[in-house]
Each structure stands twice: as C-alpha cells, then as structure tokens.
Short mmCIF file of all heavy atoms in Angstrom, two decimals:
data_model
loop_
_atom_site.label_atom_id
_atom_site.label_comp_id
_atom_site.label_asym_id
_atom_site.label_seq_id
_atom_site.Cartn_x
_atom_site.Cartn_y
_atom_site.Cartn_z
N MET A 1 19.49 173.81 257.25
CA MET A 1 19.74 173.05 256.02
C MET A 1 20.44 171.74 256.34
O MET A 1 21.60 171.73 256.70
CB MET A 1 20.59 173.88 255.08
CG MET A 1 19.82 175.03 254.52
SD MET A 1 19.63 175.05 252.76
CE MET A 1 21.14 174.47 252.09
N ALA A 2 19.71 170.69 256.24
CA ALA A 2 20.32 169.40 256.53
C ALA A 2 20.88 168.74 255.29
O ALA A 2 21.71 167.85 255.39
CB ALA A 2 19.30 168.48 257.18
N PHE A 3 20.39 169.17 254.16
CA PHE A 3 20.83 168.51 252.93
C PHE A 3 21.55 169.50 252.02
O PHE A 3 21.16 170.66 251.95
CB PHE A 3 19.64 167.94 252.16
CG PHE A 3 18.99 166.79 252.87
CD1 PHE A 3 17.90 166.99 253.68
CD2 PHE A 3 19.50 165.50 252.73
CE1 PHE A 3 17.31 165.94 254.35
CE2 PHE A 3 18.91 164.45 253.39
CZ PHE A 3 17.81 164.67 254.20
N THR A 4 22.50 169.00 251.36
CA THR A 4 23.10 169.77 250.28
C THR A 4 23.02 168.93 249.03
O THR A 4 23.15 167.70 249.09
CB THR A 4 24.56 170.11 250.58
OG1 THR A 4 25.27 168.91 250.80
CG2 THR A 4 24.67 170.99 251.81
N GLN A 5 22.78 169.56 247.94
CA GLN A 5 22.72 168.82 246.70
C GLN A 5 24.00 169.01 245.91
O GLN A 5 24.16 170.03 245.24
CB GLN A 5 21.52 169.29 245.86
CG GLN A 5 20.20 168.79 246.43
CD GLN A 5 19.06 169.05 245.47
OE1 GLN A 5 19.17 169.90 244.61
NE2 GLN A 5 17.99 168.31 245.62
N ASP A 6 24.83 168.08 246.05
CA ASP A 6 26.00 168.07 245.17
C ASP A 6 25.97 166.74 244.43
O ASP A 6 25.68 165.71 245.00
CB ASP A 6 27.31 168.23 245.96
CG ASP A 6 27.50 167.13 246.97
OD1 ASP A 6 26.66 166.20 247.01
OD2 ASP A 6 28.47 167.16 247.71
N GLY A 7 26.24 166.77 243.18
CA GLY A 7 26.14 165.55 242.40
C GLY A 7 27.34 164.63 242.56
O GLY A 7 27.45 163.64 241.87
N GLY A 8 28.19 164.94 243.47
CA GLY A 8 29.45 164.19 243.53
C GLY A 8 29.51 163.15 244.62
O GLY A 8 30.57 162.77 245.05
N SER A 9 28.35 162.66 245.04
CA SER A 9 28.38 161.71 246.15
C SER A 9 28.45 160.26 245.69
O SER A 9 28.49 159.37 246.52
CB SER A 9 27.15 161.91 247.02
OG SER A 9 25.99 161.70 246.25
N PHE A 10 28.45 160.03 244.39
CA PHE A 10 28.55 158.66 243.91
C PHE A 10 29.96 158.13 244.07
O PHE A 10 30.93 158.78 243.67
CB PHE A 10 28.15 158.57 242.45
CG PHE A 10 26.66 158.59 242.25
CD1 PHE A 10 26.04 159.70 241.74
CD2 PHE A 10 25.90 157.49 242.59
CE1 PHE A 10 24.68 159.74 241.57
CE2 PHE A 10 24.54 157.51 242.42
CZ PHE A 10 23.92 158.64 241.91
N GLN A 11 30.05 156.96 244.60
CA GLN A 11 31.36 156.34 244.72
C GLN A 11 31.52 155.33 243.58
O GLN A 11 30.57 154.63 243.25
CB GLN A 11 31.48 155.59 246.04
CG GLN A 11 31.48 156.53 247.23
CD GLN A 11 31.69 155.77 248.52
OE1 GLN A 11 31.69 154.56 248.54
NE2 GLN A 11 31.87 156.51 249.59
N PRO A 12 32.67 155.28 243.00
CA PRO A 12 32.91 154.27 241.97
C PRO A 12 32.83 152.88 242.58
O PRO A 12 33.34 152.63 243.68
CB PRO A 12 34.31 154.58 241.46
CG PRO A 12 34.96 155.33 242.57
CD PRO A 12 33.85 156.06 243.27
N ARG A 13 32.15 151.99 241.86
CA ARG A 13 32.02 150.64 242.38
C ARG A 13 33.32 149.89 242.28
O ARG A 13 34.04 149.99 241.30
CB ARG A 13 30.95 149.89 241.58
CG ARG A 13 29.57 150.29 241.97
CD ARG A 13 28.58 149.33 241.37
NE ARG A 13 27.22 149.71 241.72
CZ ARG A 13 26.15 149.05 241.28
NH1 ARG A 13 26.31 148.03 240.49
NH2 ARG A 13 24.96 149.41 241.64
N LYS A 14 33.55 149.12 243.28
CA LYS A 14 34.72 148.26 243.24
C LYS A 14 34.45 147.14 242.24
O LYS A 14 33.40 146.52 242.27
CB LYS A 14 34.98 147.69 244.63
CG LYS A 14 36.14 146.74 244.67
CD LYS A 14 36.39 146.32 246.11
CE LYS A 14 37.47 145.26 246.15
NZ LYS A 14 38.74 145.76 245.60
N MET A 15 35.41 146.90 241.36
CA MET A 15 35.26 145.85 240.36
C MET A 15 36.22 144.72 240.68
O MET A 15 37.38 144.95 241.03
CB MET A 15 35.55 146.39 238.96
CG MET A 15 34.61 147.51 238.53
SD MET A 15 32.89 146.99 238.34
CE MET A 15 32.99 146.10 236.79
N PHE A 16 35.73 143.53 240.52
CA PHE A 16 36.55 142.35 240.80
C PHE A 16 37.09 141.78 239.50
O PHE A 16 36.35 141.62 238.54
CB PHE A 16 35.72 141.29 241.52
CG PHE A 16 35.29 141.71 242.90
CD1 PHE A 16 34.13 142.43 243.07
CD2 PHE A 16 36.07 141.41 244.00
CE1 PHE A 16 33.73 142.84 244.34
CE2 PHE A 16 35.67 141.81 245.26
CZ PHE A 16 34.51 142.52 245.43
N ASP A 17 38.35 141.51 239.49
CA ASP A 17 38.97 140.91 238.30
C ASP A 17 38.65 139.43 238.26
O ASP A 17 38.92 138.70 239.20
CB ASP A 17 40.47 141.11 238.35
CG ASP A 17 40.84 142.56 238.13
OD1 ASP A 17 40.14 143.24 237.35
OD2 ASP A 17 41.82 143.01 238.73
N VAL A 18 38.09 139.00 237.15
CA VAL A 18 37.78 137.59 236.96
C VAL A 18 38.21 137.18 235.57
O VAL A 18 38.59 138.01 234.75
CB VAL A 18 36.27 137.31 237.15
CG1 VAL A 18 35.83 137.63 238.56
CG2 VAL A 18 35.46 138.10 236.13
N ASN A 19 38.15 135.92 235.31
CA ASN A 19 38.49 135.41 233.98
C ASN A 19 37.55 134.26 233.66
O ASN A 19 37.89 133.09 233.76
CB ASN A 19 39.94 134.95 233.94
CG ASN A 19 40.35 134.52 232.54
OD1 ASN A 19 39.70 134.86 231.56
ND2 ASN A 19 41.41 133.75 232.45
N VAL A 20 36.33 134.61 233.31
CA VAL A 20 35.31 133.60 233.06
C VAL A 20 34.59 133.93 231.76
O VAL A 20 34.78 134.99 231.17
CB VAL A 20 34.30 133.52 234.21
CG1 VAL A 20 34.97 133.09 235.50
CG2 VAL A 20 33.60 134.86 234.39
N GLN A 21 33.77 133.00 231.34
CA GLN A 21 32.94 133.23 230.16
C GLN A 21 31.49 133.30 230.60
O GLN A 21 31.07 132.61 231.52
CB GLN A 21 33.11 132.11 229.15
CG GLN A 21 34.42 132.18 228.39
CD GLN A 21 34.49 131.12 227.31
OE1 GLN A 21 34.17 129.97 227.56
NE2 GLN A 21 34.89 131.52 226.13
N CYS A 22 30.74 134.09 229.85
CA CYS A 22 29.31 134.16 230.10
C CYS A 22 28.69 132.78 229.91
O CYS A 22 28.97 132.10 228.93
CB CYS A 22 28.68 135.17 229.15
SG CYS A 22 26.88 135.18 229.20
N GLY A 23 27.88 132.36 230.86
CA GLY A 23 27.27 131.04 230.79
C GLY A 23 26.22 130.93 229.71
O GLY A 23 25.72 129.85 229.43
N GLN A 24 25.87 132.04 229.08
CA GLN A 24 24.81 132.01 228.07
C GLN A 24 25.34 132.28 226.68
O GLN A 24 25.07 131.52 225.76
CB GLN A 24 23.74 133.03 228.45
CG GLN A 24 22.51 132.95 227.58
CD GLN A 24 21.32 133.59 228.23
OE1 GLN A 24 21.02 133.32 229.39
NE2 GLN A 24 20.63 134.44 227.50
N CYS A 25 26.08 133.35 226.50
CA CYS A 25 26.53 133.68 225.15
C CYS A 25 28.02 133.43 224.97
O CYS A 25 28.53 133.50 223.87
CB CYS A 25 26.19 135.14 224.83
SG CYS A 25 27.23 136.35 225.65
N GLY A 26 28.73 133.12 226.05
CA GLY A 26 30.14 132.79 225.93
C GLY A 26 31.06 133.98 225.86
O GLY A 26 32.26 133.82 225.65
N ALA A 27 30.54 135.15 226.04
CA ALA A 27 31.38 136.34 226.00
C ALA A 27 32.36 136.33 227.17
O ALA A 27 32.05 135.85 228.26
CB ALA A 27 30.51 137.59 226.06
N LYS A 28 33.52 136.83 226.90
CA LYS A 28 34.53 136.87 227.94
C LYS A 28 34.17 137.94 228.97
O LYS A 28 33.77 139.05 228.62
CB LYS A 28 35.89 137.18 227.33
CG LYS A 28 37.00 137.16 228.35
CD LYS A 28 38.31 137.59 227.72
CE LYS A 28 39.40 137.67 228.77
NZ LYS A 28 40.61 138.32 228.25
N ILE A 29 34.33 137.56 230.21
CA ILE A 29 34.05 138.50 231.30
C ILE A 29 35.34 138.64 232.10
O ILE A 29 35.88 137.65 232.58
CB ILE A 29 32.92 137.98 232.21
CG1 ILE A 29 31.66 137.71 231.38
CG2 ILE A 29 32.64 138.97 233.32
CD1 ILE A 29 30.58 136.99 232.17
N ASP A 30 35.83 139.84 232.19
CA ASP A 30 37.06 140.02 232.98
C ASP A 30 36.85 140.93 234.18
O ASP A 30 37.75 141.09 234.98
CB ASP A 30 38.20 140.53 232.09
CG ASP A 30 37.85 141.82 231.38
OD1 ASP A 30 36.80 142.40 231.70
OD2 ASP A 30 38.63 142.25 230.53
N LYS A 31 35.67 141.48 234.28
CA LYS A 31 35.39 142.28 235.46
C LYS A 31 33.95 142.08 235.90
O LYS A 31 33.06 141.99 235.08
CB LYS A 31 35.64 143.76 235.18
CG LYS A 31 37.12 144.10 235.13
CD LYS A 31 37.32 145.56 235.44
CE LYS A 31 38.79 145.94 235.59
NZ LYS A 31 39.75 145.00 235.07
N LEU A 32 33.77 142.02 237.18
CA LEU A 32 32.43 141.90 237.72
C LEU A 32 32.24 142.95 238.81
O LEU A 32 33.16 143.26 239.54
CB LEU A 32 32.21 140.51 238.33
CG LEU A 32 32.06 139.35 237.35
CD1 LEU A 32 32.04 138.04 238.11
CD2 LEU A 32 30.77 139.51 236.57
N PRO A 33 31.02 143.47 238.92
CA PRO A 33 30.76 144.46 239.95
C PRO A 33 30.50 143.84 241.32
O PRO A 33 30.17 144.53 242.25
CB PRO A 33 29.51 145.18 239.43
CG PRO A 33 28.81 144.16 238.61
CD PRO A 33 29.89 143.28 238.02
N PHE A 34 30.62 142.52 241.38
CA PHE A 34 30.42 141.84 242.66
C PHE A 34 31.45 140.74 242.78
O PHE A 34 32.04 140.31 241.79
CB PHE A 34 29.01 141.26 242.76
CG PHE A 34 28.67 140.33 241.60
CD1 PHE A 34 28.97 138.98 241.68
CD2 PHE A 34 28.08 140.83 240.45
CE1 PHE A 34 28.67 138.14 240.62
CE2 PHE A 34 27.78 140.00 239.39
CZ PHE A 34 28.07 138.65 239.47
N GLU A 35 31.64 140.29 243.99
CA GLU A 35 32.63 139.25 244.18
C GLU A 35 32.05 137.92 243.71
O GLU A 35 31.01 137.49 244.19
CB GLU A 35 33.01 139.16 245.66
CG GLU A 35 34.15 138.21 245.90
CD GLU A 35 34.67 138.34 247.31
OE1 GLU A 35 33.96 138.92 248.15
OE2 GLU A 35 35.78 137.86 247.56
N PRO A 36 32.70 137.27 242.75
CA PRO A 36 32.13 136.04 242.20
C PRO A 36 32.22 134.88 243.18
O PRO A 36 33.20 134.73 243.90
CB PRO A 36 32.98 135.78 240.96
CG PRO A 36 34.29 136.45 241.25
CD PRO A 36 33.95 137.64 242.11
N ASP A 37 31.19 134.10 243.19
CA ASP A 37 31.18 132.89 243.99
C ASP A 37 31.87 131.78 243.19
O ASP A 37 31.43 131.45 242.10
CB ASP A 37 29.73 132.51 244.27
CG ASP A 37 29.64 131.29 245.18
OD1 ASP A 37 30.64 130.54 245.29
OD2 ASP A 37 28.58 131.07 245.75
N PRO A 38 32.97 131.25 243.69
CA PRO A 38 33.72 130.27 242.90
C PRO A 38 32.90 129.07 242.46
O PRO A 38 33.14 128.49 241.41
CB PRO A 38 34.84 129.84 243.87
CG PRO A 38 34.98 130.97 244.81
CD PRO A 38 33.60 131.56 244.96
N SER A 39 31.90 128.71 243.24
CA SER A 39 31.10 127.54 242.88
C SER A 39 30.07 127.87 241.80
O SER A 39 29.39 126.99 241.31
CB SER A 39 30.40 127.00 244.12
OG SER A 39 29.46 127.93 244.60
N ARG A 40 29.95 129.13 241.45
CA ARG A 40 28.94 129.51 240.47
C ARG A 40 29.56 130.23 239.28
O ARG A 40 28.86 130.89 238.52
CB ARG A 40 27.90 130.42 241.13
CG ARG A 40 27.21 129.75 242.28
CD ARG A 40 26.23 130.66 242.93
NE ARG A 40 25.09 130.95 242.05
CZ ARG A 40 24.12 131.78 242.35
NH1 ARG A 40 24.13 132.43 243.48
NH2 ARG A 40 23.12 131.99 241.52
N LEU A 41 30.84 130.09 239.11
CA LEU A 41 31.50 130.81 238.02
C LEU A 41 30.94 130.41 236.66
O LEU A 41 30.91 131.21 235.73
CB LEU A 41 33.00 130.53 238.05
CG LEU A 41 33.78 131.31 239.11
CD1 LEU A 41 35.24 130.93 239.06
CD2 LEU A 41 33.63 132.81 238.87
N SER A 42 30.50 129.16 236.53
CA SER A 42 29.99 128.71 235.23
C SER A 42 28.60 129.24 234.94
O SER A 42 28.09 129.09 233.84
CB SER A 42 29.99 127.18 235.17
OG SER A 42 29.14 126.67 236.17
N ASN A 43 27.99 129.83 235.94
CA ASN A 43 26.64 130.36 235.74
C ASN A 43 26.63 131.88 235.67
O ASN A 43 25.57 132.49 235.65
CB ASN A 43 25.73 129.93 236.89
CG ASN A 43 25.42 128.44 236.81
OD1 ASN A 43 25.28 127.90 235.74
ND2 ASN A 43 25.33 127.80 237.95
N ILE A 44 27.79 132.46 235.64
CA ILE A 44 27.85 133.91 235.58
C ILE A 44 27.48 134.39 234.19
O ILE A 44 27.89 133.82 233.20
CB ILE A 44 29.25 134.40 235.98
CG1 ILE A 44 29.41 134.22 237.48
CG2 ILE A 44 29.47 135.85 235.58
CD1 ILE A 44 30.76 134.62 237.99
N LEU A 45 26.69 135.43 234.16
CA LEU A 45 26.25 135.99 232.89
C LEU A 45 26.91 137.34 232.68
O LEU A 45 27.16 138.08 233.63
CB LEU A 45 24.73 136.16 232.87
CG LEU A 45 23.92 134.89 233.04
CD1 LEU A 45 22.44 135.23 233.05
CD2 LEU A 45 24.22 133.90 231.94
N CYS A 46 27.14 137.64 231.41
CA CYS A 46 27.65 138.96 231.09
C CYS A 46 26.53 139.98 231.34
O CYS A 46 25.39 139.63 231.59
CB CYS A 46 28.12 139.02 229.64
SG CYS A 46 26.82 138.91 228.42
N ARG A 47 26.92 141.22 231.23
CA ARG A 47 25.94 142.25 231.59
C ARG A 47 24.72 142.20 230.70
O ARG A 47 23.59 142.36 231.16
CB ARG A 47 26.62 143.62 231.48
CG ARG A 47 25.76 144.73 232.05
CD ARG A 47 26.44 146.05 231.89
NE ARG A 47 27.74 146.10 232.55
CZ ARG A 47 28.51 147.16 232.56
NH1 ARG A 47 28.14 148.23 231.94
NH2 ARG A 47 29.67 147.14 233.17
N ASP A 48 24.93 141.97 229.42
CA ASP A 48 23.79 141.94 228.49
C ASP A 48 22.84 140.80 228.81
O ASP A 48 21.63 140.96 228.86
CB ASP A 48 24.29 141.81 227.06
CG ASP A 48 24.94 143.10 226.58
OD1 ASP A 48 24.71 144.15 227.21
OD2 ASP A 48 25.69 143.03 225.59
N CYS A 49 23.41 139.61 229.01
CA CYS A 49 22.57 138.45 229.29
C CYS A 49 21.90 138.60 230.65
O CYS A 49 20.75 138.22 230.84
CB CYS A 49 23.40 137.18 229.25
SG CYS A 49 23.97 136.76 227.59
N TYR A 50 22.62 139.14 231.59
CA TYR A 50 22.05 139.32 232.91
C TYR A 50 20.85 140.25 232.85
O TYR A 50 19.81 139.98 233.43
CB TYR A 50 23.12 139.89 233.84
CG TYR A 50 22.66 140.02 235.26
CD1 TYR A 50 22.51 138.89 236.05
CD2 TYR A 50 22.40 141.27 235.81
CE1 TYR A 50 22.08 139.01 237.36
CE2 TYR A 50 21.99 141.40 237.11
CZ TYR A 50 21.83 140.27 237.89
OH TYR A 50 21.42 140.39 239.19
N ARG A 51 21.01 141.30 232.07
CA ARG A 51 19.91 142.25 231.96
C ARG A 51 18.73 141.63 231.25
O ARG A 51 17.59 141.76 231.69
CB ARG A 51 20.39 143.48 231.21
CG ARG A 51 19.31 144.53 231.10
CD ARG A 51 19.75 145.63 230.18
NE ARG A 51 20.91 146.35 230.70
CZ ARG A 51 21.58 147.25 230.00
NH1 ARG A 51 21.21 147.51 228.77
NH2 ARG A 51 22.60 147.87 230.51
N SER A 52 18.98 140.93 230.14
CA SER A 52 17.86 140.36 229.39
C SER A 52 17.20 139.26 230.20
O SER A 52 15.99 139.06 230.12
CB SER A 52 18.36 139.81 228.06
OG SER A 52 19.28 138.76 228.26
N LYS A 53 17.98 138.57 231.00
CA LYS A 53 17.38 137.53 231.83
C LYS A 53 16.48 138.14 232.89
O LYS A 53 15.38 137.68 233.15
CB LYS A 53 18.48 136.72 232.49
CG LYS A 53 17.96 135.55 233.30
CD LYS A 53 19.09 134.76 233.92
CE LYS A 53 18.54 133.61 234.74
NZ LYS A 53 19.60 132.89 235.44
N ARG A 54 16.94 139.23 233.46
CA ARG A 54 16.12 139.88 234.48
C ARG A 54 14.84 140.43 233.87
O ARG A 54 13.79 140.43 234.50
CB ARG A 54 16.90 141.02 235.13
CG ARG A 54 17.91 140.49 236.11
CD ARG A 54 18.50 141.62 236.90
NE ARG A 54 17.45 142.30 237.68
CZ ARG A 54 17.70 143.30 238.50
NH1 ARG A 54 18.91 143.74 238.67
NH2 ARG A 54 16.74 143.86 239.19
N GLN A 55 14.94 140.93 232.64
CA GLN A 55 13.74 141.47 232.01
C GLN A 55 12.82 140.37 231.53
O GLN A 55 11.64 140.57 231.41
CB GLN A 55 14.15 142.36 230.82
CG GLN A 55 14.81 143.64 231.28
CD GLN A 55 15.26 144.49 230.11
OE1 GLN A 55 15.40 143.99 229.00
NE2 GLN A 55 15.54 145.76 230.35
N GLY A 56 13.39 139.19 231.25
CA GLY A 56 12.61 138.12 230.68
C GLY A 56 11.80 137.34 231.70
O GLY A 56 10.87 136.67 231.33
N GLN A 57 12.16 137.44 232.93
CA GLN A 57 11.41 136.70 233.94
C GLN A 57 11.05 137.60 235.11
O GLN A 57 11.77 138.51 235.44
CB GLN A 57 12.21 135.50 234.42
CG GLN A 57 13.55 135.89 235.01
CD GLN A 57 14.32 134.67 235.48
OE1 GLN A 57 14.99 134.73 236.49
NE2 GLN A 57 14.22 133.57 234.76
N ARG A 58 9.92 137.32 235.70
CA ARG A 58 9.48 138.20 236.75
C ARG A 58 9.51 137.50 238.10
O ARG A 58 9.26 136.35 238.18
CB ARG A 58 8.07 138.67 236.48
CG ARG A 58 8.03 139.49 235.22
CD ARG A 58 6.76 140.28 235.15
NE ARG A 58 5.58 139.41 234.98
CZ ARG A 58 4.34 139.85 235.13
NH1 ARG A 58 4.12 141.06 235.51
NH2 ARG A 58 3.33 139.05 234.92
ZN1 ZN B 1 26.28 136.82 227.75
#
C-alpha cells in the first residue's frame, strides 16, 4: 500500500496582508493568496473580478 486516503493533507494557504483596492470594482482587498507585486498593486483584482475576468477571456 503506497497510498493512504486521508482527507487531511490540504495545507492552509499562506495569505499576504495588503491594503489595496480592486482595480475594477474598487472593493477593499486586505488579503491576497499570493505575494503582491508592488509595481502592479493598482492592477490587482478582488476575487470576484479576478474570477469573472478569467471566465470572460480565454
Ligand atoms: Zn473587484
């Protein structure tokens, strides 16, 4: 048996504290799941806009 199935192998993602606004809807963003690039802070999208943007373009 090389594998065991336990559902507990997910690690919580490290969240980065930021203080920016969504570049699209202006929503406040105080946490990001990735390290923000300081030169692109004005282009950061909130989760909703990021998702809709990804769905809107291929
Ligand atoms: Zn947004």
Side-chain angles (χ1 to χ4, degrees):
M1 289 241 322
F3 292 95
T4 57
Q5 286 190 339
D6 60 3
S9 60
F10 282 107
Q11 293 183 352
R13 283 192 181 178
K14 178 175 174 61
M15 299 295 285
F16 294 87
D17 289 325
V18 297
N19 184 18
V20 297
Q21 285 185 314
C22 171
Q24 188 160 311
C25 74
K28 183 185 176 191
I29 304 171
D30 57 8
K31 284 204 172 17
L32 287 172
F34 55 89
E35 187 169 16
D37 183 341
S39 66
R40 300 178 68 184
L41 282 178
S42 61
N43 289 324
I44 287 178
L45 299 178
C46 68
R47 189 181 301 181
D48 288 342
C49 291
Y50 184 73
R51 182 189 296 171
S52 63
K53 184 179 179 184
R54 283 190 62 177
Q55 290 178 341
Q57 59 180 217
R58 296 196 292 167

